[in-house]
């Protein structure tokens, strides 16, 4: 076992002595050493209960004959970080989380490990670490919160942001905003819609790295602790059987994850996370793969933000196994940590509610959730959640309103400076330019809340929350900081968006774009320090997953 490096032989007496100081006995020295990466904290609602899940994982490990070692990793709440400088640190944390898991597992020679995770960057960061280290690993995602309820409808964080838009438009008062604020997020768990955290939980289960049923089991369900304990037992078995992550996550697993993503209408952030995860597993996922699969696999659920249902509803309808059952004809077989192939799990999946998880021949949309647009604004690509776009915005032409920061765009929107027919362009917010590629739920939600969702589009080299809906196009690559064509746009330029044709173009010639780029510069001067400076120097573009070279 790897842990023999710290516990076998007389020369290891110093490390054994230190382990004894941590409470280990002679009997413990004979057991597999299992790390537990715990992202519990008292800041993030998706993580405030993870200490109890970690306790259940530890119990399972020790009942199965392993010795558990718990260590902490950071977690950012994107909702709390949204709309200010803190959001520049969110995507950056993905790499920090991967590094933290690698450092702890490799330094202490754990034989295997479990990631206890939930929110947006923690799950992909832990999966990246799993592929990088390739020692036995399993994930437990902490589950979604209960949806808020008001007047018979589901509420979530998206509802609060859009309430602000109503307030700015004079359609609601401050008391209404407070009512939504107090009702939307009722307790522990990740935000209740199909935003990034829950999308990644579903894709983790599809990739075979969490036990069946884990993804949609909500945070308050007692089954979550049962799944956590079972995962603890399972990791000890995986160590004894020498089953490593790279034998679980294959090229077929990655394709299956993208298929499921398209079918459920997941967050556009998966177009960043799946390529980065694949890379750490020695595999490749591209925007072309996302778009090709999206053209083949229909959208068969309608969860928030694009539809009325929550993760709790999806779980009651059959969860990920039911989705896989619907997709069986598209899937390739691949292993899972359950010891079963994904096709076996799909065959056993049962659809309990055929309206929440529709059949393939009666989908909500004929194509999958994400579309990849290219053109003279985004030659390397851009992404949009087409399943959350109204029919009126599938083809759109408008005049550019150009901003060099999210803050300046938000001020213009909230003050009524954006009108029907505008295309809001937010640039210099990409991986390098921001740096950190912040999410922009504030401006998109204000657009929706102010009643402009069918008449105003937004494009950016930054990215969007999984809660974003409407004509919001992100990940424009190359980004403005790298003198991508988005840096050439000016107020009044005519922009053509055609989602069915997958195009995003300004009515400018190549010569005009080249000439403008010669003198292009941002009105925002940012000189990052610390981790943001290192990130700017190492990060690649959004089209390739914003991984670090």
């Amino acid at each position: 076992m790897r842990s023999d490096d710290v516990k076998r032989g007389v020369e290891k007496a110093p490390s054994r002595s230190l382990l004894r100081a941590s409470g280990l006995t002679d009997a413990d020295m004979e057991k597999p050493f299992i790390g537990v990466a715990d992202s519990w904290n008292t800041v993030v609602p998706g993580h405030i209960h993870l200490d109890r899940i970690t306790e259940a994982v530890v119990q399972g490990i020790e009942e199965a004959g392993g010795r558990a070692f718990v260590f902490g990793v950071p977690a950012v709440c994107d909702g709390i970080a949204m709309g200010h400088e803190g959001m520049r640190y969110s995507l950056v944390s993905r790499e920090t989380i991967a590094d933290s898991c690698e450092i702890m597992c490799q330094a202490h020679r754990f034989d295997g490990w479990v990631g206890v995770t939930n929110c947006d960057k923690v799950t992909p960061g832990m999966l990246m670490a799993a592929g990088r280290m390739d020692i036995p690993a399993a994930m437990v995602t902490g589950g979604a919160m209960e949806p808020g309820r008001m007047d018979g409808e589901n509420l979530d964080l998206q509802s609060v942001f859009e309430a602000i838009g109503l307030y700015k438009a004079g359609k609601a008062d401050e008391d209404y905003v407070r009512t939504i604020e107090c009702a939307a997020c009722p307790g522990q768990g990740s935000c209740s819609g199909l935003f990034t955290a829950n999308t990644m939980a579903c894709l983790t289960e599809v990739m075979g790295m969490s036990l069946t049923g884990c993804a949609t089991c909500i945070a308050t369900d007692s089954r979550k602790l049962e799944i956590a304990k079972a995962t603890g037992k399972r990791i000890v078995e995986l160590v004894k059987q020498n089953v490593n992550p790279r034998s679980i996550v294959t090229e077929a697993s990655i394709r299956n994850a993208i298929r499921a993503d398209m079918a459920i209408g997941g967050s556009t952030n998966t177009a960043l996370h799946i390529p980065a995860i694949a890379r750490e597993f020695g595999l490749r996922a591209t925007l072309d793969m996302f778009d090709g699969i999206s053209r083949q696999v229909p959208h068969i659920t309608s969860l928030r933000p694009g539809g009325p249902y929550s993760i709790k509803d999806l779980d009651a309808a059959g969860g990920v196994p039911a989705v896989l059952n619907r997709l069986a004809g598209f899937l390739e077989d691949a292993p899972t940590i359950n010891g079963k192939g994904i096709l076996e799990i799909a065959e056993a999946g049962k659809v309990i509610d055929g309206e929440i998880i529709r059949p393939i021949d009666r989908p909500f949309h004929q194509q999958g959730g994400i579309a990849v647009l290219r053109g003279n604004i985004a030659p390397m690509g851009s992404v949009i959640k087409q399943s959350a776009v109204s029919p009126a915005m599938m083809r759109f032409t408008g005049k550019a309103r150009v901003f060099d920061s999210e803050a300046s765009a938000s001020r213009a929107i909230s003050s009524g400076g954006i009108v029907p027919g505008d295309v809001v362009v937010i640039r210099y917010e990409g991986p390098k330019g921001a740096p950190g590629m912040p999410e922009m739920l504030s401006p998109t939600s204000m657009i929706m809340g102010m009643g402009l969702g069918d008449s105003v589009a937004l494009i950016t080299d930054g990215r969007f929350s999984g809660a974003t809906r409407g004509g919001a196009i992100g990940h424009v690559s190359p980004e403005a900081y790298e003198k991508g064509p988005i840096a050439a746009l000016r107020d009044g330029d005519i922009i053509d968006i055609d989602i069915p044709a997958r195009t995003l173009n300004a009515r400018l010639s190549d010569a005009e774009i080249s000439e403008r780029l010669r003198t292009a510069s941002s009105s925002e001067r940012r000189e990052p320090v610390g981790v943001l400076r290192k990130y700017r120097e190492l990060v690649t573009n959004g089209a390739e997953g914003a991984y670090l070279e």
Side-chain angles (χ1 to χ4, degrees), residues 29 92 124 131 134 156 216 231 242 285 288 302 333 349 360 364 397 408 413 433 462 496 509 521:
M29 300 293 182
V92 173
D134 200 33
D156 50 42
T216 61
T231 304
N242 197 30
D288 286 339
S302 189
D333 206 9
I360 295 296
F364 287 95
T397 295
S408 59
I413 296 167
D496 296 310
S509 68
S521 63

Side-chain angles (χ1 to χ4, degrees), residues 123 141 194-210 214-217 256-257 260-261 264 266 303 311 314 319-320 323-324 342:
T123 301
T141 49
L194 188 64
F195 310 154
T196 305
N198 295 322
T199 301
M200 287 307 306
C202 291
L203 302 194
T204 299
E205 187 173 325
V206 174
M207 284 188 282
M209 288 299 292
S210 63
C214 185
T216 61
C217 179
N256 286 340
D261 188 17
I264 63 178
L303 277 64
I311 291 295
L314 178 61
V320 169
V323 173
L324 294 174
I342 202 71

Side-chain angles (χ1 to χ4, degrees), residues 2-3 5-6 33 35 71 98-113 128-136:
R2 279 165 43 99
S3 57
D5 291 349
V6 298
F33 282 7
F71 61 91
D99 292 349
S100 297
C101 295
E102 177 189 2
I103 287 166
M104 291 299 289
C105 290
Q106 299 289 44
H108 302 105
R109 310 312 292 157
F110 298 145
D111 299 301
W113 67 289
M128 289 165 66
R132 184 187 302 173
M133 291 187 287
D134 200 33
I135 62 173

Side-chain angles (χ1 to χ4, degrees), residues 377 392-393 395-403 408-409 411-426 443-444 447-448 450-460 470-473 489-497 504-505:
I377 296 175
M393 292 296 290
R395 291 184 175 88
F396 184 78
T397 295
K399 290 184 178 181
R401 291 293 312 280
V402 181
F403 304 92
S408 59
R411 287 192 295 269
I413 296 167
S414 65
S415 66
I418 301 301
V419 298
D422 284 346
V423 178
V424 177
V425 177
I426 306 177
T444 58
I447 287 170
M448 298 301 298
M450 295 174 78
L452 298 172
D454 287 344
S455 59
V456 170
L458 189 153
I459 66 173
T460 180
I473 301 166
L489 296 179
R490 296 176 181 170
D491 283 349
D493 287 341
I494 302 300
I495 294 177
D496 296 310
I497 300 166
L504 174 63
N505 288 294

Side-chain angles (χ1 to χ4, degrees), residues 484-535:
I486 192 173
L489 296 179
R490 296 176 181 170
D491 283 349
D493 287 341
I494 302 300
I495 294 177
D496 296 310
I497 300 166
D498 191 330
I499 298 172
R502 303 298 204 262
T503 57
L504 174 63
N505 288 294
R507 294 184 186 176
L508 298 171
S509 68
D510 291 346
E512 286 176 297
I513 291 173
S514 296
E515 178 58 28
R516 289 186 185 184
L517 289 177
R518 287 180 56 246
T519 57
S521 63
S522 175
S523 61
E524 302 282 333
R525 299 298 177 192
R526 301 178 189 138
E527 298 297 334
V529 298
V531 67
L532 293 183
R533 186 178 69 173
K534 290 186 287 186
Y535 190 82

Side-chain angles (χ1 to χ4, degrees), residues 358-382:
R358 288 186 178 181
I360 295 296
D361 61 0
R362 191 173 62 85
F364 287 95
H365 299 96
Q366 291 296 329
Q367 293 190 355
I370 291 175
V372 177
L373 312 185
R374 288 187 169 87
N376 66 0
I377 296 175
M380 294 178 67
S382 62

Side-chain angles (χ1 to χ4, degrees), residues 2 22 67 73 114 144 257 276 447 505:
R2 279 165 43 99
S22 296
R67 180 57 164 86
V73 297
V114 176
I447 287 170
N505 288 294

